[in-house]
Amino acid sequence: MKKWLQFLVLITSITSTSALLASGGIGEGSEGRSSQMPPVMNAKWKAECSGCHMLYHPGLLPERSWKAVMAGLDKHFGESAGLDAATRDEITSFLVLNSADKSANRRSSRINQSIPTNSTPLRVSETRYFISKHDEISASTFKRKSVGSSANCIACHRGAEKGDFSESQVRIPR
Amino acid sequence: MRNIYILLGILFSVNAFAATPQELLKQYEVQAKQENAAFTGFSADAGASFFRTERAHSNGKQVSCATCHTSDPRNQGKTRANKVIEPMAPIVNAKRFTDPAKVEKWFGRNCKDVLERACTAKEKGDYIQFMLSVK
Protein backbone atom coordinates (compact mmCIF):
# COMPACT_ATOMS: atom_id res chain seq x y z
CA MET A 1 0.00 0.00 0.00
CA LYS A 2 2.77 2.41 0.96
CA LYS A 3 4.79 1.67 -2.20
CA TRP A 4 1.69 2.23 -4.31
CA LEU A 5 1.20 5.68 -2.71
CA GLN A 6 4.85 6.66 -3.29
CA PHE A 7 4.49 5.71 -6.94
CA LEU A 8 1.38 7.87 -7.28
CA VAL A 9 3.13 10.90 -5.74
CA LEU A 10 6.10 10.44 -8.08
CA ILE A 11 3.92 10.24 -11.20
CA THR A 12 1.90 13.29 -10.14
CA SER A 13 4.99 15.41 -9.56
CA ILE A 14 6.56 14.45 -12.90
CA THR A 15 3.34 15.28 -14.76
CA SER A 16 2.87 18.65 -13.08
CA THR A 17 6.53 19.64 -13.57
CA SER A 18 6.45 18.87 -17.28
CA ALA A 19 3.14 20.71 -17.66
CA LEU A 20 4.66 23.76 -15.97
CA LEU A 21 7.70 23.63 -18.24
CA ALA A 22 5.56 23.24 -21.36
CA SER A 23 3.41 26.22 -20.39
CA GLY A 24 6.49 28.43 -20.24
CA GLY A 25 5.73 29.23 -16.61
CA ILE A 26 9.38 29.25 -15.65
CA GLY A 27 11.42 32.29 -16.64
CA GLU A 28 14.72 30.55 -17.27
CA GLY A 29 15.04 28.28 -20.30
CA SER A 30 16.63 24.86 -20.32
CA GLU A 31 19.92 26.41 -21.45
CA GLY A 32 19.93 28.77 -18.46
CA ARG A 33 19.15 31.79 -20.62
CA SER A 34 16.23 34.10 -20.05
CA SER A 35 13.24 33.30 -22.19
CA GLN A 36 12.01 36.91 -22.29
CA MET A 37 13.72 39.84 -23.99
CA PRO A 38 15.71 42.05 -21.62
CA PRO A 39 14.45 45.51 -20.66
CA VAL A 40 16.04 48.12 -22.95
CA MET A 41 15.69 51.89 -23.15
CA ASN A 42 16.52 54.74 -25.47
CA ALA A 43 14.51 57.96 -25.14
CA LYS A 44 14.44 58.72 -28.87
CA TRP A 45 13.45 55.18 -29.80
CA LYS A 46 10.61 55.35 -27.29
CA ALA A 47 9.41 58.80 -28.41
CA GLU A 48 9.75 58.38 -32.17
CA CYS A 49 8.84 54.72 -32.66
CA SER A 50 5.61 54.71 -30.69
CA GLY A 51 3.86 57.72 -32.22
CA CYS A 52 1.90 55.65 -34.76
CA HIS A 53 2.26 52.06 -33.58
CA MET A 54 3.16 50.08 -30.46
CA LEU A 55 6.79 50.19 -29.42
CA TYR A 56 8.56 47.18 -30.95
CA HIS A 57 11.37 45.65 -28.90
CA PRO A 58 14.68 45.57 -30.84
CA GLY A 59 15.00 41.85 -30.02
CA LEU A 60 12.13 41.06 -32.41
CA LEU A 61 14.18 41.40 -35.62
CA PRO A 62 17.82 40.89 -36.69
CA GLU A 63 20.25 43.71 -37.45
CA ARG A 64 19.76 43.57 -41.23
CA SER A 65 15.99 43.98 -40.81
CA TRP A 66 16.32 47.05 -38.56
CA LYS A 67 18.81 48.61 -40.96
CA ALA A 68 16.39 48.09 -43.83
CA VAL A 69 13.46 49.51 -41.83
CA MET A 70 15.44 52.59 -40.79
CA ALA A 71 16.75 53.17 -44.33
CA GLY A 72 13.18 53.32 -45.66
CA LEU A 73 11.41 55.64 -43.23
CA ASP A 74 10.23 57.97 -46.00
CA LYS A 75 7.91 55.15 -47.11
CA HIS A 76 7.41 53.23 -43.87
CA PHE A 77 4.76 50.59 -44.63
CA GLY A 78 3.15 53.12 -46.94
CA GLU A 79 3.42 56.11 -44.62
CA SER A 80 5.83 58.98 -44.26
CA ALA A 81 7.87 58.57 -41.06
CA GLY A 82 11.03 60.48 -41.92
CA LEU A 83 13.38 61.59 -39.12
CA ASP A 84 16.32 63.98 -39.02
CA ALA A 85 19.60 62.18 -39.72
CA ALA A 86 20.96 62.39 -36.15
CA THR A 87 17.81 60.91 -34.59
CA ARG A 88 17.58 58.21 -37.26
CA ASP A 89 21.22 57.18 -36.74
CA GLU A 90 20.94 57.09 -32.94
CA ILE A 91 17.83 54.91 -33.08
CA THR A 92 19.40 52.63 -35.71
CA SER A 93 22.47 52.04 -33.50
CA PHE A 94 20.27 51.27 -30.52
CA LEU A 95 18.14 48.80 -32.51
CA VAL A 96 21.22 47.09 -33.96
CA LEU A 97 22.91 46.80 -30.55
CA ASN A 98 19.86 45.00 -29.10
CA SER A 99 18.70 43.18 -32.24
CA ALA A 100 17.59 39.53 -32.32
CA ASP A 101 20.97 38.32 -33.62
CA LYS A 102 22.84 40.19 -30.85
CA SER A 103 20.54 39.19 -28.00
CA ALA A 104 21.10 36.07 -25.91
CA ASN A 105 17.50 35.53 -24.80
CA ARG A 106 15.73 32.43 -26.04
CA ARG A 107 12.88 34.11 -27.90
CA SER A 108 15.12 36.45 -29.91
CA SER A 109 17.39 33.52 -30.81
CA ARG A 110 14.44 31.48 -32.03
CA ILE A 111 13.04 34.34 -34.09
CA ASN A 112 16.48 34.82 -35.62
CA GLN A 113 16.95 31.11 -36.30
CA SER A 114 13.58 30.98 -38.07
CA ILE A 115 14.67 33.58 -40.66
CA PRO A 116 16.57 32.26 -43.71
CA THR A 117 19.95 33.99 -44.01
CA ASN A 118 19.10 35.26 -47.48
CA SER A 119 15.94 37.08 -46.36
CA THR A 120 15.45 40.41 -44.61
CA PRO A 121 11.92 40.54 -43.19
CA LEU A 122 10.52 43.98 -42.35
CA ARG A 123 7.63 42.54 -40.37
CA VAL A 124 7.91 40.27 -37.33
CA SER A 125 4.69 38.61 -38.55
CA GLU A 126 6.53 37.41 -41.67
CA THR A 127 8.94 35.24 -39.68
CA ARG A 128 8.43 31.46 -39.46
CA TYR A 129 8.66 31.73 -35.67
CA PHE A 130 5.73 34.17 -35.51
CA ILE A 131 3.63 32.16 -37.96
CA SER A 132 4.11 28.87 -36.09
CA LYS A 133 3.41 30.52 -32.72
CA HIS A 134 0.13 32.00 -34.00
CA ASP A 135 -1.15 29.09 -36.11
CA GLU A 136 -4.21 28.70 -33.88
CA ILE A 137 -5.23 32.37 -34.23
CA SER A 138 -7.65 32.91 -37.10
CA ALA A 139 -7.38 35.78 -39.58
CA SER A 140 -10.71 37.12 -38.31
CA THR A 141 -9.34 37.37 -34.76
CA PHE A 142 -6.44 39.52 -36.01
CA LYS A 143 -8.96 41.70 -37.86
CA ARG A 144 -11.13 42.38 -34.79
CA LYS A 145 -11.56 46.09 -34.09
CA SER A 146 -9.93 45.62 -30.68
CA VAL A 147 -6.84 44.10 -32.31
CA GLY A 148 -6.51 45.74 -35.74
CA SER A 149 -3.84 43.52 -37.26
CA SER A 150 -1.03 41.11 -36.45
CA ALA A 151 1.23 44.17 -36.09
CA ASN A 152 -0.53 45.20 -32.89
CA CYS A 153 1.12 42.72 -30.48
CA ILE A 154 0.03 44.69 -27.42
CA ALA A 155 -3.66 44.00 -28.06
CA CYS A 156 -3.11 40.46 -26.72
CA HIS A 157 0.42 40.50 -25.24
CA ARG A 158 0.12 43.10 -22.51
CA GLY A 159 3.85 43.10 -21.79
CA ALA A 160 4.84 43.35 -25.48
CA GLU A 161 6.44 46.78 -25.26
CA LYS A 162 8.70 45.46 -22.49
CA GLY A 163 9.62 42.42 -24.59
CA ASP A 164 7.44 40.05 -22.53
CA PHE A 165 5.53 37.72 -24.84
CA SER A 166 5.04 34.89 -22.33
CA GLU A 167 1.94 32.81 -22.94
CA SER A 168 0.68 33.33 -19.39
CA GLN A 169 0.31 37.07 -20.16
CA VAL A 170 -1.85 36.58 -23.25
CA ARG A 171 -5.41 37.93 -23.18
CA ILE A 172 -7.18 37.96 -26.54
CA PRO A 173 -9.78 40.79 -26.54
CA ARG A 174 -13.28 40.30 -27.94
CA MET B 1 21.54 83.17 -5.63
CA ARG B 2 23.03 80.36 -7.70
CA ASN B 3 19.67 78.59 -7.55
CA ILE B 4 17.97 81.63 -9.05
CA TYR B 5 20.34 81.58 -12.03
CA ILE B 6 19.64 77.89 -12.56
CA LEU B 7 15.91 78.54 -12.34
CA LEU B 8 16.14 81.44 -14.80
CA GLY B 9 18.19 79.28 -17.14
CA ILE B 10 15.58 76.54 -17.12
CA LEU B 11 12.77 79.06 -17.66
CA PHE B 12 14.45 80.64 -20.68
CA SER B 13 15.49 77.37 -22.26
CA VAL B 14 11.91 76.10 -21.99
CA ASN B 15 10.62 79.36 -23.51
CA ALA B 16 12.91 78.95 -26.51
CA PHE B 17 10.92 75.86 -27.56
CA ALA B 18 7.44 76.62 -26.29
CA ALA B 19 5.03 78.71 -28.31
CA THR B 20 1.38 79.55 -28.38
CA PRO B 21 -0.85 78.62 -31.34
CA GLN B 22 -1.12 82.38 -32.06
CA GLU B 23 2.67 82.67 -32.32
CA LEU B 24 2.72 79.74 -34.71
CA LEU B 25 0.02 81.40 -36.81
CA LYS B 26 2.17 84.56 -37.02
CA GLN B 27 5.07 82.52 -38.39
CA TYR B 28 2.86 80.84 -40.99
CA GLU B 29 1.39 84.25 -41.89
CA VAL B 30 4.86 85.54 -42.78
CA GLN B 31 5.44 82.48 -44.95
CA ALA B 32 1.98 82.67 -46.54
CA LYS B 33 2.64 86.28 -47.62
CA GLN B 34 5.91 85.17 -49.20
CA GLU B 35 4.14 82.35 -51.03
CA ASN B 36 1.33 84.54 -52.26
CA ALA B 37 1.35 88.36 -52.30
CA ALA B 38 -2.47 88.36 -52.46
CA PHE B 39 -2.73 86.52 -49.10
CA THR B 40 -5.35 88.21 -46.90
CA GLY B 41 -5.50 86.01 -43.82
CA PHE B 42 -6.32 82.54 -42.53
CA SER B 43 -9.81 81.11 -42.53
CA ALA B 44 -11.27 78.59 -40.08
CA ASP B 45 -13.88 77.61 -42.68
CA ALA B 46 -11.21 76.87 -45.26
CA GLY B 47 -9.38 74.86 -42.58
CA ALA B 48 -12.51 72.85 -41.76
CA SER B 49 -13.04 72.00 -45.40
CA PHE B 50 -9.34 71.15 -45.80
CA PHE B 51 -9.56 68.85 -42.76
CA ARG B 52 -12.63 66.91 -43.91
CA THR B 53 -12.42 66.84 -47.72
CA GLU B 54 -11.46 63.43 -49.03
CA ARG B 55 -9.25 62.94 -52.03
CA ALA B 56 -8.34 59.87 -54.06
CA HIS B 57 -4.89 58.69 -52.93
CA SER B 58 -2.71 56.90 -55.49
CA ASN B 59 -3.06 53.78 -53.30
CA GLY B 60 -6.73 53.64 -54.31
CA LYS B 61 -8.18 54.83 -50.99
CA GLN B 62 -10.26 57.94 -50.25
CA VAL B 63 -8.36 59.86 -47.58
CA SER B 64 -8.55 63.07 -45.56
CA CYS B 65 -7.14 64.37 -42.26
CA ALA B 66 -10.41 63.16 -40.71
CA THR B 67 -9.73 59.57 -41.80
CA CYS B 68 -7.43 59.18 -38.78
CA HIS B 69 -8.42 62.19 -36.62
CA THR B 70 -12.23 61.65 -37.05
CA SER B 71 -14.33 64.52 -38.40
CA ASP B 72 -14.65 66.10 -34.93
CA PRO B 73 -11.24 67.40 -33.75
CA ARG B 74 -12.43 67.10 -30.13
CA ASN B 75 -12.40 63.31 -30.51
CA GLN B 76 -9.50 60.93 -30.14
CA GLY B 77 -8.39 59.49 -33.45
CA LYS B 78 -6.73 56.24 -34.39
CA THR B 79 -3.72 55.42 -36.58
CA ARG B 80 -3.71 52.60 -39.12
CA ALA B 81 -1.75 50.58 -36.54
CA ASN B 82 -4.53 51.03 -33.95
CA LYS B 83 -2.73 53.59 -31.80
CA VAL B 84 -4.80 56.34 -30.19
CA ILE B 85 -4.19 59.89 -31.47
CA GLU B 86 -4.98 62.51 -28.86
CA PRO B 87 -7.51 65.18 -29.95
CA MET B 88 -6.26 67.99 -32.20
CA ALA B 89 -8.47 70.78 -30.81
CA PRO B 90 -6.67 72.90 -28.19
CA ILE B 91 -9.96 73.31 -26.30
CA VAL B 92 -9.67 69.66 -25.18
CA ASN B 93 -5.89 69.18 -25.61
CA ALA B 94 -3.94 72.26 -24.55
CA LYS B 95 -0.61 70.79 -25.71
CA ARG B 96 -1.57 71.09 -29.39
CA PHE B 97 0.27 73.72 -31.48
CA THR B 98 2.69 74.69 -28.72
CA ASP B 99 5.83 72.95 -30.06
CA PRO B 100 6.83 74.36 -33.48
CA ALA B 101 9.20 71.47 -34.29
CA LYS B 102 6.52 68.90 -33.53
CA VAL B 103 3.93 70.78 -35.59
CA GLU B 104 6.30 70.95 -38.59
CA LYS B 105 7.26 67.29 -38.22
CA TRP B 106 3.65 66.11 -38.36
CA PHE B 107 2.53 68.51 -41.09
CA GLY B 108 5.54 67.23 -43.03
CA ARG B 109 4.56 63.59 -42.65
CA ASN B 110 0.79 63.82 -42.82
CA CYS B 111 0.61 66.19 -45.78
CA LYS B 112 2.69 63.67 -47.74
CA ASP B 113 0.46 60.81 -46.57
CA VAL B 114 -2.86 62.48 -47.34
CA LEU B 115 -2.09 64.95 -50.15
CA GLU B 116 1.07 63.29 -51.54
CA ARG B 117 2.72 66.72 -51.49
CA ALA B 118 3.85 69.30 -48.92
CA CYS B 119 1.22 71.65 -47.50
CA THR B 120 1.38 75.37 -48.18
CA ALA B 121 1.73 77.83 -45.31
CA LYS B 122 -1.84 78.98 -46.09
CA GLU B 123 -3.14 75.42 -45.62
CA LYS B 124 -1.24 75.01 -42.34
CA GLY B 125 -2.53 78.33 -41.03
CA ASP B 126 -6.13 77.59 -42.05
CA TYR B 127 -5.83 74.22 -40.30
CA ILE B 128 -4.64 75.77 -37.03
CA GLN B 129 -7.24 78.56 -37.29
CA PHE B 130 -9.94 75.90 -37.65
CA MET B 131 -8.63 73.96 -34.63
CA LEU B 132 -8.66 77.14 -32.55
CA SER B 133 -12.24 77.89 -33.63
CA VAL B 134 -13.52 74.56 -32.26
CA LYS B 135 -15.28 75.16 -28.97
Side-chain angles (χ1 to χ4, degrees):
Chain A
M1 180 63 191
K2 253 195 173 164
K3 274 217 167 128
W4 177 81
L5 199 67
Q6 277 178 346
F7 181 69
L8 190 74
V9 169
L10 185 70
I11 291 293
T12 314
S13 59
I14 288 171
T15 319
S16 54
T17 308
S18 52
L20 188 64
L21 279 174
S23 72
I26 288 174
E28 292 295 308
S30 53
E31 297 149 62
R33 293 181 296 177
S34 174
S35 62
Q36 300 309 323
M37 296 172 198
V40 290
M41 184 40 75
N42 173 282
K44 289 194 174 131
W45 161 69
K46 193 175 177 191
E48 299 295 345
C49 304
S50 68
C52 305
H53 54 66
M54 66 153 271
L55 189 62
Y56 297 110
H57 193 287
L60 287 165
L61 285 171
E63 171 174 351
R64 61 185 182 282
S65 293
W66 288 126
K67 283 186 167 166
V69 167
M70 295 303 286
L73 287 179
D74 286 343
K75 270 267 171 262
H76 185 61
F77 302 99
E79 278 180 31
S80 165
L83 291 170
D84 64 83
T87 306
R88 183 198 60 211
D89 293 349
E90 181 183 327
I91 294 173
T92 306
S93 304
F94 165 78
L95 292 169
V96 166
L97 190 70
N98 298 287
S99 58
D101 42 348
K102 306 264 185 307
S103 210
N105 72 82
R106 206 149 43 100
R107 200 179 308 282
S108 291
S109 302
R110 292 201 177 151
I111 292 171
N112 193 41
Q113 283 159 15
S114 83
I115 303 170
T117 47
N118 62 356
S119 93
T120 304
L122 301 181
R123 292 177 161 88
V124 187
S125 55
E126 287 170 1
T127 64
R128 264 195 296 127
Y129 178 87
F130 179 98
I131 294 164
S132 71
K133 281 284 187 183
H134 295 86
D135 58 358
E136 79 281 21
I137 311 293
S138 69
S140 64
T141 306
F142 279 124
K143 281 196 194 121
R144 279 180 196 166
K145 239 188 160 149
S146 52
V147 178
S149 76
S150 57
N152 194 22
C153 317
I154 201 165
C156 306
H157 299 271
R158 289 174 302 170
E161 291 189 329
K162 294 189 184 81
D164 182 359
F165 293 87
S166 55
E167 203 139 5
S168 60
Q169 296 292 306
V170 173
R171 299 277 182 284
I172 300 172
R174 299 216 159 259
Chain B
M1 196 59 199
R2 217 175 112 233
N3 284 344
I4 290 170
Y5 284 127
I6 291 169
L7 198 71
L8 280 173
I10 290 168
L11 272 174
F12 279 106
S13 62
V14 168
N15 277 343
F17 298 105
T20 64
Q22 284 73 19
E23 285 164 349
L24 270 167
L25 277 176
K26 285 237 167 65
Q27 289 171 25
Y28 286 127
E29 198 180 315
V30 173
Q31 287 176 37
K33 279 177 186 154
Q34 285 165 357
E35 283 172 5
N36 178 9
F39 171 80
T40 52
F42 295 126
S43 146
D45 286 345
S49 147
F50 176 82
F51 185 74
R52 297 189 179 116
T53 305
E54 289 191 336
R55 66 174 284 273
H57 192 282
S58 65
N59 68 12
K61 291 188 179 126
Q62 289 292 117
V63 290
S64 70
C65 310
T67 305
C68 292
H69 291 291
T70 81
S71 64
D72 185 341
R74 293 170 298 185
N75 291 344
Q76 283 185 334
K78 215 171 210 187
T79 69
R80 250 175 65 216
N82 243 25
K83 184 118 187 171
V84 165
I85 307 170
E86 293 306 329
M88 293 308 299
I91 188 88
V92 288
N93 183 2
K95 279 191 262 173
R96 289 297 182 198
F97 311 111
T98 58
D99 178 346
K102 189 175 177 184
V103 170
E104 270 300 292
K105 181 170 96 174
W106 287 101
F107 270 137
R109 289 173 170 181
N110 295 351
C111 293
K112 272 188 218 157
D113 288 336
V114 177
L115 302 174
E116 299 179 84
R117 62 166 174 81
C119 289
T120 63
K122 166 87 166 93
E123 286 166 334
K124 293 176 186 173
D126 288 344
Y127 184 103
I128 297 173
Q129 194 78 270
F130 165 53
M131 292 304 162
L132 289 171
S133 76
V134 175
K135 296 295 169 206

